[in-house]
Amino acid sequence: MQQLFISKLFKSEISQSIQDPHILRVRLLLAIGICVPILLGCAWSAYYALQTKWLLMACNLTQVALALLGMTLFNAGRDRLAAIWMAHGLFIIIATICLLDAPVDGVVRSVHMYFLPLAAGTSLVFRKDHVYLRVMLPFIMLAGCMIFGSSHMGVTRPDLIADSNIRVWGVWINYLSALGVLGVALVVMQTDLTIRHSLDAEMREALAKGHFCLHYQPQVDAQGHIFGAEALLRWQHPVRGMIPPGVFIAAAEETGLILPIGAWVLKEACAHLVALAQDPQTAHLTIAVNVSASQLRQPDFVQEVMEIVTRSQADPARLKLELTESMLAKDVDVTIQKMHALREFGINWSLDDFGTGYSSLQYLKHLPFDQLKIDQSFVRDLLTNESDKAIVETLVSLSKNLQMVLIAEGVETKEQLDYLFNKGCTKYQGYLFSRPLPIEGFEHFLATFPDSSASSELQAHTR
Ligand code: C2E
Ligand code: MG
Ligand code: MG
């Protein structure tokens, strides 16, 4: 089970964040960091094979093999793993080839120049990662460049190293390709920085001018009743149109703007709850609100949420806050306290994207969650993927044991619905019932849902 979670973690890494433009730039840089070593490695190993310089050929072939493995990981969507593999592998290969590129016969060393684009790329690719990958590794690479650039250390045996005439050309090739890739890395980094700054300014303006809005995605039970909705943030950009949260939430988290945005979302959702409470037909509905990691980490999070709910006069029992597993990795004790405080106040907790993290099982029983949401990556291939079937079955029994409500998100087909129902999952959210709707569309949906085909399907189950 644990292994299934781990394999899913890497698998879903891309799909979750594919909309984030920063991720797309990171992928571009990673693709360059994989293709350039393959091309250069193939060319040099062919040349050294002709020259019968077997050690140099072997080093270049190792580089190609390393990059091909990196490409396999990259194609499988395991970006972070591919990046870690390439950063460390290339560092070792470059250092090894540097030893075979010692200055002799007036020809300078040049292979160490590849440390520069490697350091720049590593620093950008791991910009949001922990300190070793983000800071220490690029520094080690720069130190490598300095040490090899300023010393004569290395092998000088003529049968092991390249001939001087080709090494003169090698210097040009290495400088041009290393500096070329460095230039591309710097342009990508600069673009990343500029876009982040302008995105931040635009988001501030959007918040001030009321360009954010909430869409509501209905949640349905096996009896065909709507029991609630998830509030999903949208940015109605005056030029670019409707922007989904995947594009801007990560940037808002980084700049801290997620705090006022998150407070706005909560106020808006509470106001909607109050409106729903006016009508006996809709008074029972719950609204789920996504909470970000930085919101949860705020020391006054509990107080702020209580204040917003109290001021709005919404019933806290109708409000559900959604956390993801990754947010529980840090400061678990403080998180538990905050969750309990809000639970006592009446608010319910839901664990979003359940199954995409891998250490949750240990502390799940200590956290006051009322609901588990099966991540949509498990639902997507449910009918064809045996491990997804096993995970869903395990989650059904896990939720029963922990006495938590289980809801499947991303339900798109009747076949998925049938499978989930037959396995004992009786709450659903997904395009099969409705896409997230603006408030008017949601109200219309509430009024007409019993007539929809998805609803009849559910009613057929319970007859
Ligand atoms: P989430 O909370 O897991 O929300 C579910 C996402 O899956 C939504 O994407 C929803 O539109 C999408 N979805 C629902 N049913 C289906 C389906 O059947 N098929 C497919 N392919 N997708 C489906 P959305 O609206 O783009 O939101 C993405 C993520 O952005 C959310 O994932 C949530 O983590 C975050 N988010 C959204 N609103 C907020 C917010 O107000 N605050 C914070 N902090 N995060 C938010
Ligand atoms: Mg959610
Ligand atoms: Mg989710």
Side-chain angles (χ1 to χ4, degrees):
M1 184 68 194
Q2 202 85 331
Q3 273 167 348
L4 291 178
F5 279 167
I6 292 170
S7 69
K8 269 288 161 185
L9 170 81
F10 286 113
K11 219 174 161 187
S12 56
E13 188 173 298
I14 299 304
S15 59
Q16 282 174 358
S17 45
I18 195 77
Q19 296 164 322
D20 183 346
H22 167 74
I23 301 288
L24 295 177
R25 282 189 288 277
V26 164
R27 278 177 71 77
L28 168 71
L29 217 53
L30 198 50
I32 293 171
I34 290 170
C35 291
V36 171
I38 291 179
L39 293 176
L40 287 174
C42 284
W44 281 118
S45 39
Y47 174 79
Y48 289 130
L50 290 174
Q51 297 294 311
T52 63
K53 301 278 184 186
W54 304 120
L55 185 59
L56 278 162
M57 189 198 79
C59 286
N60 281 282
L61 277 183
T62 310
Q63 174 180 309
V64 174
L66 173 124
L68 285 175
L69 190 60
M71 186 184 263
T72 311
L73 293 170
F74 179 78
N75 285 337
R78 299 176 175 189
D79 285 20
R80 187 169 178 275
L81 201 59
I84 293 174
W85 170 255
M86 289 305 296
H88 290 86
L90 284 179
F91 177 77
I92 294 168
I93 286 283
I94 294 171
T96 311
I97 302 182
C98 271
L99 291 173
L100 298 170
D101 186 38
V104 279
D105 299 338
V107 184
V108 294
R109 197 192 317 257
S110 56
V111 172
H112 65 287
M113 290 304 290
Y114 288 107
F115 281 124
L116 295 180
L118 189 62
T122 303
S123 144
L124 178 77
V125 168
F126 297 116
R127 186 169 63 80
K128 295 180 182 174
D129 228 300
H130 60 78
V131 70
Y132 165 68
L133 293 169
R134 181 167 41 90
V135 183
M136 285 165 70
L137 193 55
F139 266 100
I140 294 171
M141 289 162 178
L142 291 178
C145 182
M146 197 182 74
I147 292 166
F148 282 110
S150 58
S151 76
H152 283 70
M153 110 177 112
V155 178
T156 48
R157 263 176 56 184
D159 57 322
L160 292 181
I161 62 171
D163 300 336
S164 293
N165 54 349
I166 188 65
R167 286 192 58 194
V168 174
W169 285 103
V171 171
W172 279 97
I173 294 169
N174 289 338
Y175 266 79
L176 278 175
S177 44
L179 293 181
V181 178
L182 177 65
V184 173
L186 291 179
V187 169
V188 174
M189 282 171 98
Q190 186 59 39
T191 312
D192 205 53
L193 207 68
T194 313
I195 292 182
R196 238 180 314 142
H197 279 154
S198 65
L199 191 63
D200 183 50
E202 280 192 276
M203 278 192 293
R204 281 175 202 280
E205 196 184 327
L207 194 59
K209 291 190 174 167
H211 290 166
F212 285 116
C213 63
L214 289 184
H215 280 192
Y216 294 90
Q217 187 174 33
Q219 297 175 325
V220 180
D221 66 19
Q223 283 74 43
H225 300 134
I226 302 172
F227 63 92
E230 178 172 9
L232 293 157
L233 186 60
R234 299 286 181 268
W235 178 358
Q236 196 130 35
H237 195 283
V239 182
R240 284 189 274 158
M242 197 65 87
I243 304 180
V247 174
F248 60 89
I249 288 278
E253 284 248 17
E254 262 184 69
T255 58
L257 206 60
I258 194 69
L259 300 178
I261 294 178
W264 177 84
V265 169
L266 199 57
K267 279 181 204 154
E268 197 67 12
C270 286
H272 193 194
L273 269 179
V274 173
L276 290 171
Q278 309 305 312
D279 182 348
Q281 301 287 321
T282 56
H284 65 286
L285 296 177
T286 58
I287 291 185
V289 170
N290 292 283
V291 172
S292 80
S294 10
Q295 279 177 282
L296 185 68
R297 273 201 303 273
Q298 290 306 300
D300 62 348
F301 174 72
V302 171
Q303 221 175 336
E304 191 185 11
V305 172
M306 284 181 180
E307 261 173 41
I308 291 174
V309 176
T310 311
R311 222 177 289 148
S312 70
Q313 297 185 323
D315 179 358
R318 302 270 154 242
L319 181 65
K320 223 178 265 170
L321 296 183
E322 292 197 358
L323 299 182
T324 55
E325 277 178 272
S326 55
M327 291 160 58
L328 306 171
K330 269 193 204 165
D331 306 328
V332 188
D333 293 339
V334 182
T335 303
I336 292 179
Q337 279 172 18
K338 288 180 179 174
M339 288 180 73
H340 275 293
L342 287 174
R343 186 74 197 81
E344 272 165 36
F345 180 65
I347 290 174
N348 293 301
W349 288 98
S350 174
L351 184 52
D352 204 358
D353 305 341
F354 186 53
T356 54
Y358 55 94
S359 55
S360 61
L361 299 183
Q362 301 154 12
Y363 45 77
L364 201 54
K365 55 179 185 288
H366 302 296
L367 294 161
F369 281 110
D370 308 276
Q371 177 181 282
L372 300 178
K373 289 185 95 172
I374 306 179
D375 186 61
Q376 47 185 286
S377 62
F378 300 112
V379 177
R380 195 177 306 130
D381 308 324
L382 191 56
L383 303 171
T384 50
N385 187 316
E386 290 305 316
S387 73
D388 287 351
K389 286 183 183 172
I391 288 173
V392 166
E393 280 179 38
T394 312
L395 295 187
V396 170
S397 61
L398 184 77
S399 64
K400 279 185 185 145
N401 289 340
L402 294 169
Q403 295 177 329
M404 293 178 191
V405 174
L406 188 68
I407 176 169
E409 65 179 357
V411 181
E412 291 186 358
T413 66
K414 288 183 175 167
E415 290 72 25
Q416 290 167 344
L417 175 68
D418 285 344
Y419 189 91
L420 289 161
F421 178 82
N422 290 331
K423 292 296 166 195
C425 174
T426 55
K427 304 253 187 304
Y428 321 97
Q429 179 181 338
Y431 293 170
L432 177 63
F433 307 102
S434 169
R435 287 182 176 256
L437 299 164
I439 196 156
E440 313 76 42
F442 179 63
E443 278 164 10
H444 180 254
F445 184 86
L446 287 176
T448 55
F449 179 68
D451 301 329
S452 82
S453 61
S455 169
S456 344
E457 181 76 10
L458 283 167
Q459 282 158 4
H461 275 310
T462 50
R463 249 174 240 142

